[in-house]
Amino acid sequence: MIRSAKKREYSTLSQLWLRVSIHAHHFIPTKYWTDNVHDMEILYLPQADNWIYTKKNKIYGFISICDGYIAALFVDIPYQRHGIGKALLDFVKDKYTVNLTLNVYKENLQAIYFYRKNSFIIKEETTDIQTGHQEYIMQYCNNNRR
């Protein structure tokens, strides 16, 4: 089931974000993620529309949207490759009437493959000023939304 996250769940979401970020971004020092987990919970999640994938009160993943920008899409490590990320992505594709964009690290090949498979295209290459790593700006364009 996908539903809106409750504020009391932000701590759980930020811890999930931390685990998956460290796992998926081995090329960025762990300290970067641990230094930012508090901001994720207190600053970033409250600014977004947060949708969680849950079964029997357990959160398996979430997606955060800010003005058509996918700020986060994270699925807990043991549950990756079970269709949860796709379900969350399909949910926001249907819900939002804008062309969705996101940033993904160039070194995160698994994520790039996932987004390309789900109709996102690379629009631009940039450098993340916080980490110094190259990233792609990707966009989903639904022909019915143009």
Side-chain angles (χ1 to χ4, degrees):
M1 172 172 103
I2 296 174
R3 65 166 174 79
S4 181
K6 297 174 176 73
K7 188 175 180 179
R8 63 179 159 76
E9 295 170 316
Y10 288 0
S11 175
T12 301
L13 298 184
S14 65
Q15 290 305 308
L16 190 154
W17 170 85
L18 178 62
R19 282 191 306 279
V20 177
S21 292
I22 291 168
H23 177 78
H25 306 109
H26 56 86
F27 47 89
I28 295 175
T30 299
K31 185 175 180 351
Y32 172 78
W33 304 110
T34 57
D35 285 352
N36 285 287
V37 71
H38 179 75
D39 287 350
M40 182 64 165
E41 180 179 347
I42 303 302
L43 297 176
Y44 301 123
L45 289 172
Q47 294 178 26
D49 294 335
N50 301 292
W51 303 97
I52 61 172
Y53 187 101
T54 182
K55 284 185 186 174
K56 298 181 182 176
N57 296 321
K58 178 173 175 46
I59 297 172
Y60 291 84
F62 74 98
I63 190 166
S64 300
I65 308 292
C66 288
D67 298 322
Y69 178 75
I70 299 174
L73 173 53
F74 291 90
V75 175
D76 211 352
I77 299 161
Y79 308 104
Q80 292 179 358
R81 299 180 189 252
H82 289 94
I84 295 169
K86 181 173 179 14
L88 286 163
L89 199 54
D90 287 346
F91 177 85
V92 298
K93 284 178 181 178
D94 288 340
K95 184 161 188 63
Y96 294 87
T97 59
V98 296
N99 290 329
L100 299 168
T101 61
L102 59 89
N103 288 33
V104 61
Y105 288 110
K106 190 175 178 179
E107 293 162 278
N108 192 347
L109 300 179
Q110 183 178 329
I112 294 166
Y113 174 78
F114 170 77
Y115 289 120
R116 280 186 161 168
K117 187 176 170 183
N118 286 281
S119 303
F120 280 76
I121 59 170
I122 296 172
K123 297 294 283 184
E124 187 178 340
E125 185 175 331
T126 63
T127 301
D128 178 12
I129 58 171
Q130 293 182 335
T131 65
H133 285 262
Q134 295 300 113
E135 60 184 359
Y136 292 129
I137 298 172
M138 299 185 79
Q139 183 176 43
Y140 171 76
C141 297
N142 182 331
N143 290 335
N144 296 330
R145 296 182 184 159
R146 288 186 181 166

